[in-house]
Amino acid sequence: KNQVEQSPQSLIILEGKNCTLQCNYTVSPFSNLRWYKQDTGRGPVSLTIMTFSENTKSNGRYTATLDADTKQSSLHITASQLSDSASYICVVFDRGSTLGRLYFGRGTQLTVWP
Amino acid sequence: EADIYQTPRYLVIGTGKKITLECSQTMGHDKMYWYQQDPGMELHLIHYSYGVNSTEKGDLSSESTVSRIRTEHFPLTLESARPSHTSQYLCASSESSSGRKTYNEQFFGPGTRLTVL
């Protein structure tokens, strides 16, 4: 069964600190993995997209890693800001269908305190 | 910032009412999608469209219906709303995958928060 599991479910950190969010997946065949940021009451916004051959990609203070062998990914946030408070969703794209299925994790709810 | 819009942003209605949630995109994307998301849960695909006059049901069974008469417009309709329909509804669009465009990146609208009393 294709699944995407994220941990932790929620996380509270102080402003300026770093944190790392985890994603494990069992989706096959794998095409790419995305990390989205979803603010409360808003739609998800893409942070990074990585294909099978990429094992790290950065977008400002966000750095995503991918280990396609162990089917694990992480999102590292550096020098957190209050505006980083949001849900971070790991999404895996399955290239095995015409539509191209997206499998969503439940997200990690990050809260940054001043 | 993606050019995909949803209206209304918030809707509170009584049981039995007919409602239409609007979704429009100005990116010329062929594919469009509707997702349903409950608090703390993952997004579930309820409808999608490959293009004009194409509509398909997604993974999660839904009593809603959709239409795709124009490329840019993908409205979702509930003929008779019930409290079980209370949820957030997210619309998304993407280009058709071709050649080097293998990411199939989906761009999401801001969502409609529906509450049925």
Side-chain angles (χ1 to χ4, degrees), chain B residues 60-77:
Chain B
L60 182 66
S61 175
S62 173
E63 294 167 345
S64 58
T65 60
V66 293
S67 62
R68 190 88 183 276
I69 299 174
R70 303 199 315 266
T71 298
E72 64 271 20
H73 196 212
F74 191 39
L76 180 146
T77 299

Side-chain angles (χ1 to χ4, degrees), chain A residues 11 27 31 36-37 41 44 46 48 52 54 66-67 91 94:
Chain A
L11 181 63
V27 177
S31 178
Y36 282 87
K37 178 186 179 186
S46 179
T48 64
F52 185 90
E54 297 172 301
L66 173 65
D67 185 334
V91 185
D94 160 19

Side-chain angles (χ1 to χ4, degrees), chain B residues 2-51:
Chain B
D3 296 319
I4 180 164
Y5 310 97
Q6 290 185 244
T7 57
R9 292 293 318 281
Y10 303 92
L11 181 60
V12 180
I13 60 168
T15 297
K17 299 292 185 183
K18 177 180 178 179
I19 61 165
T20 296
L21 307 185
E22 302 288 348
C23 175
S24 296
Q25 51 96 4
T26 59
M27 297 173 282
H29 287 169
D30 291 326
K31 295 181 180 177
M32 295 190 74
Y33 315 80
W34 276 103
Y35 291 90
Q36 187 173 339
Q37 184 184 30
D38 293 319
M41 302 297 288
E42 63 268 48
L43 278 72
H44 290 285
L45 182 66
I46 53 175
H47 298 284
Y48 60 94
S49 167
Y50 288 113

Side-chain angles (χ1 to χ4, degrees), chain A residues 78-94:
Chain A
T78 304
S80 60
Q81 300 176 357
L82 299 179
S83 59
D84 291 333
S85 294
S87 178
Y88 291 84
I89 304 173
C90 176
V91 185
V92 179
F93 179 46
D94 160 19

